[in-house]
Coordinates of all heavy atoms in Angstrom, one line a residue:
S241 N 63.5 139.5 -47.2 CA 64.2 140.0 -46.0 C 63.3 140.3 -44.9 O 63.8 140.3 -43.7 CB 65.1 141.2 -46.4 OG 64.3 142.3 -46.7
W242 N 62.0 140.4 -45.1 CA 61.1 140.7 -44.1 C 60.4 139.5 -43.6 O 59.6 139.6 -42.6 CB 60.0 141.7 -44.6 CG 60.6 142.9 -45.2 CD1 60.9 143.2 -46.5 CD2 61.1 144.1 -44.5 NE1 61.5 144.4 -46.7 CE2 61.6 145.0 -45.4 CE3 61.1 144.5 -43.1 CZ2 62.2 146.2 -45.0 CZ3 61.7 145.7 -42.8 CH2 62.2 146.6 -43.8
T243 N 60.6 138.3 -44.1 CA 60.0 137.1 -43.8 C 60.4 136.7 -42.3 O 61.5 136.9 -41.9 CB 60.4 135.9 -44.7 OG1 60.0 136.3 -46.0 CG2 59.7 134.7 -44.3
N244 N 59.4 136.3 -41.5 CA 59.5 135.9 -40.1 C 60.0 137.0 -39.2 O 60.4 136.8 -38.1 CB 60.5 134.7 -40.0 CG 60.0 133.5 -40.7 OD1 58.8 133.3 -40.8 ND2 60.9 132.6 -41.1
L245 N 60.0 138.3 -39.7 CA 60.5 139.4 -38.9 C 59.6 139.6 -37.6 O 60.1 140.0 -36.6 CB 60.6 140.7 -39.7 CG 61.3 141.8 -39.1 CD1 62.8 141.4 -38.8 CD2 61.3 143.0 -40.0
E246 N 58.3 139.4 -37.8 CA 57.4 139.6 -36.6 C 57.7 138.5 -35.5 O 57.7 138.9 -34.3 CB 55.9 139.6 -37.0 CG 55.5 140.6 -37.8 CD 55.7 142.0 -37.2 OE1 55.4 142.1 -36.0 OE2 56.1 143.0 -37.9
A247 N 58.0 137.3 -35.9 CA 58.4 136.3 -34.9 C 59.7 136.7 -34.2 O 59.9 136.5 -33.0 CB 58.5 135.0 -35.6
L248 N 60.7 137.2 -35.0 CA 62.0 137.7 -34.5 C 61.8 138.8 -33.5 O 62.4 138.8 -32.4 CB 62.9 138.1 -35.6 CG 64.3 138.2 -35.3 CD1 65.0 136.9 -34.9 CD2 65.1 138.7 -36.5
K249 N 60.9 139.7 -33.8 CA 60.5 140.8 -32.9 C 60.0 140.3 -31.5 O 60.4 140.8 -30.4 CB 59.6 141.8 -33.5 CG 60.1 142.6 -34.6 CD 59.0 143.5 -35.2 CE 59.3 144.2 -36.4 NZ 58.2 145.0 -36.9
R250 N 59.1 139.3 -31.6 CA 58.5 138.8 -30.4 C 59.6 138.1 -29.6 O 59.6 138.2 -28.4 CB 57.4 137.8 -30.8 CG 56.1 138.5 -31.2 CD 54.9 137.5 -31.2 NE 55.0 136.7 -32.5 CZ 54.5 137.1 -33.6 NH1 53.9 138.3 -33.7 NH2 54.7 136.4 -34.7
A251 N 60.5 137.4 -30.2 CA 61.5 136.7 -29.5 C 62.5 137.7 -28.8 O 62.9 137.6 -27.7 CB 62.4 135.9 -30.5
A252 N 62.7 138.8 -29.5 CA 63.6 139.9 -29.0 C 62.9 140.6 -27.8 O 63.6 141.0 -26.8 CB 63.9 141.0 -30.1
R253 N 61.6 140.8 -27.9 CA 60.9 141.5 -26.7 C 60.9 140.6 -25.5 O 61.1 141.1 -24.4 CB 59.4 141.7 -27.1 CG 59.4 142.8 -28.2 CD 57.9 143.2 -28.4 NE 57.8 144.0 -29.7 CZ 57.2 143.6 -30.8 NH1 56.8 142.4 -31.0 NH2 57.2 144.5 -31.8
A254 N 60.7 139.3 -25.7 CA 60.8 138.4 -24.5 C 62.2 138.3 -24.0 O 62.4 138.2 -22.8 CB 60.4 137.0 -25.0
L255 N 63.3 138.3 -24.9 CA 64.6 138.3 -24.4 C 65.0 139.7 -23.6 O 65.6 139.6 -22.6 CB 65.6 138.3 -25.6 CG 67.1 138.5 -25.4 CD1 67.6 137.4 -24.4 CD2 67.9 138.5 -26.7
L256 N 64.4 140.8 -24.1 CA 64.6 142.0 -23.5 C 64.1 142.0 -22.0 O 64.8 142.4 -21.1 CB 63.8 143.1 -24.2 CG 64.0 144.6 -23.6 CD1 65.4 145.1 -23.8 CD2 63.0 145.5 -24.3
E257 N 63.0 141.4 -21.8 CA 62.5 141.3 -20.4 C 63.4 140.4 -19.6 O 63.6 140.7 -18.4 CB 61.0 140.7 -20.4 CG 60.0 141.6 -21.1 CD 60.0 143.0 -20.3 OE1 60.0 143.0 -19.0 OE2 59.9 144.0 -21.0
Q258 N 63.9 139.3 -20.1 CA 64.8 138.5 -19.3 C 66.1 139.2 -19.0 O 66.6 139.0 -17.8 CB 65.1 137.2 -20.1 CG 66.1 136.3 -19.4 CD 66.0 134.8 -19.9 OE1 64.9 134.3 -19.9 NE2 67.2 134.3 -20.2
L259 N 66.6 139.9 -19.9 CA 67.9 140.6 -19.7 C 67.7 141.7 -18.6 O 68.5 142.1 -17.9 CB 68.5 141.2 -21.0 CG 69.0 140.2 -22.0 CD1 69.4 140.8 -23.2 CD2 70.1 139.3 -21.4
R260 N 66.5 142.4 -18.7 CA 66.2 143.5 -17.7 C 66.2 142.8 -16.3 O 66.8 143.4 -15.3 CB 64.8 144.0 -17.9 CG 64.8 145.1 -19.0 CD 63.4 145.5 -19.3 NE 63.3 146.6 -20.3 CZ 62.1 146.9 -20.9 NH1 61.0 146.4 -20.6 NH2 62.2 147.9 -21.8
E261 N 65.6 141.6 -16.2 CA 65.5 141.0 -14.8 C 67.0 140.5 -14.4 O 67.4 140.6 -13.3 CB 64.6 139.8 -14.9 CG 63.1 140.2 -15.1 CD 62.3 139.0 -15.1 OE1 62.7 137.8 -14.9 OE2 61.1 139.2 -15.4
A262 N 67.7 140.0 -15.4 CA 69.1 139.5 -15.1 C 70.1 140.6 -14.7 O 70.9 140.3 -13.8 CB 69.6 138.7 -16.3
T263 N 70.0 141.8 -15.4 CA 70.9 142.8 -15.0 C 70.4 143.9 -14.1 O 71.2 144.6 -13.5 CB 71.3 143.5 -16.4 OG1 70.1 144.2 -17.0 CG2 71.9 142.6 -17.4
G264 N 69.1 144.0 -14.0 CA 68.5 145.0 -13.1 C 68.6 146.4 -13.7 O 68.5 147.4 -13.0
T265 N 69.0 146.5 -15.0 CA 69.2 147.8 -15.6 C 68.4 147.8 -17.0 O 67.9 146.8 -17.5 CB 70.6 148.0 -15.9 OG1 71.2 147.0 -16.8 CG2 71.4 148.1 -14.5
A266 N 68.4 149.0 -17.6 CA 67.8 149.2 -18.9 C 68.6 148.5 -20.0 O 69.9 148.7 -20.0 CB 67.6 150.7 -19.2
V267 N 67.9 147.8 -20.9 CA 68.6 147.2 -22.1 C 67.8 147.6 -23.2 O 66.6 147.6 -23.2 CB 68.7 145.7 -21.8 CG1 69.3 145.0 -23.1 CG2 69.5 145.3 -20.6
S268 N 68.5 147.9 -24.4 CA 67.8 148.1 -25.6 C 68.2 147.1 -26.7 O 69.3 146.6 -26.6 CB 68.2 149.6 -26.1 OG 67.8 150.5 -25.2
I269 N 67.4 146.8 -27.7 CA 67.7 145.9 -28.7 C 67.3 146.4 -30.0 O 66.2 146.9 -30.3 CB 66.9 144.5 -28.4 CG1 67.5 143.8 -27.2 CG2 67.0 143.6 -29.6 CD1 66.8 142.5 -26.8
G270 N 68.2 146.2 -31.0 CA 67.9 146.5 -32.4 C 67.7 145.2 -33.2 O 68.6 144.3 -33.0
I271 N 66.8 145.2 -34.1 CA 66.6 143.9 -34.9 C 67.0 144.2 -36.4 O 66.7 145.3 -37.0 CB 65.1 143.6 -34.9 CG1 64.7 143.3 -33.5 CG2 64.9 142.4 -35.8 CD1 65.2 142.0 -32.9
G272 N 67.7 143.3 -37.0 CA 68.2 143.4 -38.4 C 67.4 142.4 -39.2 O 67.0 141.3 -38.7
R273 N 67.1 142.8 -40.4 CA 66.5 141.8 -41.3 C 67.4 140.7 -41.8 O 68.6 140.9 -41.7 CB 65.9 142.5 -42.5 CG 64.9 143.6 -42.3 CD 64.7 144.4 -43.6 NE 65.9 145.1 -44.0 CZ 66.2 145.6 -45.2 NH1 65.4 145.2 -46.2 NH2 67.3 146.3 -45.4

């Protein structure tokens, strides 16, 4: 269940930055295995 989790986190961090720019507000993300 932990396989590829680090890659998923990196994808989520990049997505977080894009959503911050798109909304102009704070966004939080939780990752599931």
Side-chain angles (χ1 to χ4, degrees):
S241 60
W242 306 95
T243 303
N244 294 336
L245 194 57
E246 290 304 317
L248 196 62
K249 290 180 192 177
R250 281 189 285 273
R253 292 185 191 108
L255 173 62
L256 181 67
E257 292 304 318
Q258 175 159 311
L259 291 177
R260 281 174 178 168
E261 293 180 8
T263 64
T265 59
V267 177
S268 299
I269 292 179
I271 299 292
R273 299 169 293 156

